[in-house]
Amino acid sequence: MTEVTTLQEVPTDTGMAREVLMNLGPQHPSTHGVLRLLLQMDGEIVERIEPHIGLLHRGTEKLFESFTYTQIFPLTDRLDYLCPPSNNLGYALAVEALLGIEAPLRGQYIRVIMAELSRISGHLLITGALPMDVGAMTSLLYTMRDREMVLDLMEMISGVRMHTSFCRVGGVREDLPEGAEARILEFCDIFADRISDYETLLKNNRIFLARVENIGNITAEDAIALGLTGPNLRASGVDWDLRRDEPYEIYDRLEFNVITRKDGDCYDRWKCRLDEMRESLRMIRQCVEQMPAGDVLVDDPKIAFPVDKDLLAHSMETHIHHFELAAYGFKVPKGEVYQAIEAPKGELGYYLISDGSEKPFRLKVRSPSFVNLQALTERTTNMKYLADVIAMLGSLDPVMGEVDK
Amino acid sequence: MTEIPLGSALEQFSNVHLDETAADMPCLMVPPADLLALCQFLRGEAALQFNFLSDICGVDFHPEAPRFQLVYHLVSIPNHWRLRLKCWLGDPPVAPTVTSVWTTANWHEREAYDMYGIHFDGHPDLRRLYMWDEFDGYPMRRDFPLRGYKDHMNPLGVERRRNGGGA
């Protein structure tokens, strides 16, 4: 068995054993899913943390190898299940890079709008859940109320609240429904004030600050060595955002600030996300303004279903392509590509090796939560007590679907 | 694709060469014996500064030989460069650990060990990561059946052959 389990055999003949092995999770609200932590405790002080992951392991990467490229979209939804459009986007970009195609401009804008909406939805959970983990229940109720607005928008656009699977290789499934743009802008107006509400609710709350300020500091150097990305990295003062530094889709047409903080403690990671939601709102507004009319899916009958569905009734050729696509999928040329995007949790990378068939030879997901969670085990962070571990875990914001893959 | 000054690395390591097939970023082929030294060089060299390890990916090319490959994706945050390292491994696959160069390699290597059975020499804590300790076999190997092997937990799995089969 594992090394840490043997520690249970601490000599107890005096009845005064100092070290206790404690089990946190896998079914504990503050572990945000099925994470099991083995804690070696000396009284209230945590000596060592050993995360046991894999309780949600579904073998996604193995499944990828037996699914066609289109069938993979629903699987990527279930990685970071708070922000499926981002996961879809990264995967679609990887396949498109190998195919050498690009989505039409309107399709790209819709993808970015959905990715940013999902970033808000993901960040809302953590801006509410971290305070709840440390005892401030109210905030979660507020953020969940507002997250409902995002889910409603998702439902309006894709028909599904959570696992949207709205992306396709070469664009998105269909155009925005009538009135969606107005609803999105309406959401932006309402939500801008709500962010300030959370801030005033918690920013000066002494009880909240006592639990998160100067807890679990990560220096910029450590953060890079640990491979942290996303808000966790930027909270430590590293100015690195793939949306700006390696722009994909239409991010180079948008104006936004990359939020960085200095201290890299739990509070900074929380605040960083709060401020990022404001930037996301700015981006969504710009997208809606700039979005041109036109196709949303690439016009290539061998890769995408026809945009004009009436063609199916009249054109035999379209019908054959449609059948081939639905039954066998499309082939992707031999090659390899690593495509990284700035997902809400950090750098989400897809490393795709194609052998020229309809199914990927190997598709590796570099999931940000998996890497971020590792920071919990390191001694580089100054967290001493059990209560600090909870704050640290909450602020790192791992989603177990993505950690376990 | 930006031009990365890799000349000094290629000069210093005679067994390392550029892989021209990759289109999205420069790629170096490196034998396992040189891997650790090359990584230290890439991270330490002032002109390169590959300070961020993005990912380690194991690949199984069964039934071809050599069978296993490790793919490293590096980022130089100061220079905004990306670089890929590829390392062919023997069978049984063994590679040196790079945890001393990038702390983050720890879990990535444990994942590759868990899924492909790639052994990392000098790793501080090489144990299974996703699968449970008693699990037999390496699930991501291409000769491991998608449905898994039949046992009391998995009655619909594939019957295990006596010899080989990814286990």
Side-chain angles (χ1 to χ4, degrees):
Chain A
M1 282 304 282
T2 56
E3 192 193 330
V4 74
T5 323
T6 57
L7 286 170
Q8 275 172 320
E9 297 155 14
V10 185
T12 49
D13 46 356
T14 57
M16 296 280 282
R18 279 170 59 81
E19 290 188 336
V20 179
L21 200 70
M22 207 172 75
N23 197 32
L24 178 70
Q27 299 293 348
H28 189 278
S30 70
T31 58
H32 295 240
V34 281
L35 170 65
R36 177 182 170 217
L37 296 177
L38 267 177
L39 305 167
Q40 186 184 325
M41 309 284 297
D42 179 1
E44 183 75 0
I45 295 169
V46 180
E47 305 252 286
R48 199 163 81 120
I49 306 173
E50 194 179 296
H52 280 223
I53 63 171
L55 289 142
L56 202 63
H57 180 64
R58 295 146 297 180
T60 309
E61 287 178 4
K62 184 85 176 169
L63 289 172
F64 285 159
E65 293 173 9
S66 60
F67 277 46
T68 66
Y69 284 99
T70 312
Q71 286 173 334
I72 285 171
F73 279 106
L75 286 180
T76 62
D77 276 350
R78 283 146 182 85
L79 289 170
D80 178 357
Y81 40 72
L82 294 171
C83 331
S86 285
N87 307 342
N88 290 171
L89 174 60
Y91 166 67
L93 285 173
V95 183
E96 284 164 16
L98 273 190
L99 284 167
I101 57 169
E102 217 175 47
L105 213 48
R106 188 175 172 84
Q108 293 191 20
Y109 273 102
I110 295 176
R111 285 175 175 189
V112 170
I113 289 176
M114 290 195 65
E116 290 304 322
L117 279 174
S118 77
R119 187 185 310 275
I120 292 177
S121 144
H123 282 359
L124 266 179
L125 186 88
I126 195 61
T127 40
L130 173 65
M132 189 193 68
D133 288 345
V134 298
M137 184 74 190
T138 325
S139 59
L140 187 75
L141 300 175
Y142 280 123
T143 56
M144 285 296 104
R145 176 194 65 189
D146 296 340
R147 186 161 169 267
E148 204 63 20
M149 289 194 288
V150 182
L151 294 181
D152 283 347
L153 283 175
M154 291 289 175
E155 189 179 3
M156 185 185 188
I157 296 170
S158 70
V160 191
R161 283 158 56 84
M162 286 186 75
H163 298 302
T164 53
S165 293
F166 196 58
C167 261
R168 289 290 179 274
V169 173
V172 290
R173 197 182 73 206
E174 54 195 83
D175 205 349
L176 292 179
E178 212 173 300
E181 289 163 39
R183 288 288 294 276
I184 291 168
L185 287 177
E186 192 190 342
F187 161 76
C188 291
D189 290 337
I190 298 173
F191 189 65
D193 297 335
R194 298 277 168 89
I195 301 178
S196 312
D197 285 353
Y198 313 137
E199 214 174 351
T200 35
L201 189 67
L202 291 161
K203 192 173 69 176
N204 298 318
N205 184 326
R206 276 167 53 198
I207 304 169
F208 176 61
L209 290 183
R211 291 288 305 273
V212 293
E213 231 176 4
N214 255 325
I215 302 290
N217 297 48
I218 303 178
T219 62
E221 225 167 85
D222 286 341
I224 293 175
L226 278 166
L228 293 187
T229 41
N232 292 334
L233 179 68
R234 291 190 285 273
S236 296
V238 184
D239 195 6
W240 179 251
D241 189 323
L242 296 181
R243 288 173 293 177
R244 182 199 61 198
D245 297 319
E246 292 176 357
Y248 50 93
E249 298 290 80
I250 45 93
Y251 276 110
D252 49 355
R253 299 175 177 220
L254 304 178
E255 211 177 280
F256 60 96
N257 297 326
V258 174
I259 308 287
T260 52
R261 307 275 304 172
K262 280 197 203 95
D263 298 335
D265 57 2
C266 292
Y267 176 76
D268 274 359
R269 285 190 282 277
W270 176 81
K271 185 73 166 60
C272 198
R273 293 190 171 87
L274 203 70
D275 293 338
E276 268 187 18
M277 289 198 287
R278 288 205 179 89
E279 295 303 317
S280 289
L281 278 187
R282 259 178 83 191
M283 280 184 244
I284 294 170
R285 281 208 181 100
Q286 291 174 49
C287 281
V288 174
E289 270 168 33
Q290 294 176 12
M291 191 160 56
D295 284 345
V296 294
L297 193 56
V298 77
D299 184 19
D300 184 338
K302 296 209 162 155
I303 291 169
F305 287 143
V307 182
D308 181 8
K309 296 279 185 280
D310 289 342
L311 272 177
L312 278 172
H314 306 299
S315 155
M316 190 62 204
E317 203 175 324
T318 316
H319 211 94
I320 293 169
H321 283 313
H322 189 277
F323 177 79
E324 290 240 316
L325 254 185
Y328 308 113
F330 53 86
K331 290 191 166 135
V332 169
K334 212 172 163 170
E336 59 183 328
V337 70
Y338 179 83
Q339 176 69 48
I341 66 159
E342 186 74 29
K345 308 287 182 291
E347 175 180 328
L348 173 67
Y350 286 92
Y351 176 51
L352 170 63
I353 305 178
S354 166
D355 57 355
S357 68
E358 311 76 0
K359 292 170 184 169
F361 179 78
R362 172 85 166 101
L363 179 56
K364 161 91 201 235
V365 185
R366 188 267 187 216
S367 52
S369 298
F370 171 75
V371 186
N372 291 348
L373 183 62
Q374 206 185 164
L376 201 63
T377 59
E378 288 302 317
R379 297 225 149 269
T380 46
T381 56
N382 66 340
M383 47 177 178
K384 202 170 167 196
Y385 298 105
L386 178 59
D388 301 342
V389 174
I390 303 293
M392 182 70 185
L393 178 64
S395 73
L396 285 174
D397 189 19
V399 171
M400 292 316 286
E402 202 176 46
V403 175
D404 288 347
K405 289 192 276 200
Chain B
M1 196 160 78
T2 40
E3 202 61 41
I4 302 177
L6 289 168
S8 54
L10 292 168
E11 232 167 69
Q12 193 161 342
F13 299 91
S14 55
N15 292 327
V16 175
H17 60 271
L18 266 175
D19 176 17
E20 306 286 350
T21 57
D24 57 333
M25 65 178 85
C27 175
L28 292 178
M29 305 294 289
V30 49
D34 285 343
L35 182 66
L36 185 59
L38 178 73
C39 288
Q40 278 161 348
F41 177 82
L42 290 173
R43 188 180 193 276
E45 180 73 12
L48 296 169
Q49 296 185 52
F50 281 96
N51 53 358
F52 186 86
L53 172 71
S54 180
D55 187 35
I56 300 177
C57 171
V59 192
D60 177 11
F61 287 91
H62 180 77
E64 284 167 39
R67 180 173 168 184
F68 294 102
Q69 193 183 48
L70 279 173
V71 184
Y72 296 73
H73 286 100
L74 313 184
V75 184
S76 165
I77 290 185
N79 296 317
H80 294 210
W81 290 331
R82 277 183 189 272
L83 178 68
R84 177 180 295 143
L85 305 181
K86 279 188 191 173
C87 181
W88 283 108
L89 304 176
D91 202 1
V94 182
T97 177
V98 293
T99 39
S100 57
V101 190
W102 300 284
T103 326
T104 178
N106 190 326
W107 277 20
H108 287 302
E109 289 179 351
R110 277 180 68 187
E111 188 192 358
Y113 167 72
D114 190 8
M115 293 288 132
Y116 287 95
I118 296 171
H119 194 85
F120 290 91
D121 261 344
H123 190 285
D125 185 26
L126 196 64
R127 284 180 293 120
R128 284 199 174 272
L129 187 65
Y130 289 137
M131 311 308 283
W132 54 102
D133 291 342
E134 296 79 14
F135 186 81
D136 189 14
Y138 300 106
M140 281 297 285
R141 289 191 175 185
R142 287 190 86 81
D143 51 1
F144 190 95
L146 181 64
R147 300 169 69 165
Y149 285 116
K150 188 172 179 173
D151 59 18
H152 70 288
M153 305 266 278
N154 184 14
L156 299 177
V158 176
E159 208 68 62
R160 193 187 284 268
R161 277 176 295 134
R162 186 147 292 202
N163 295 319

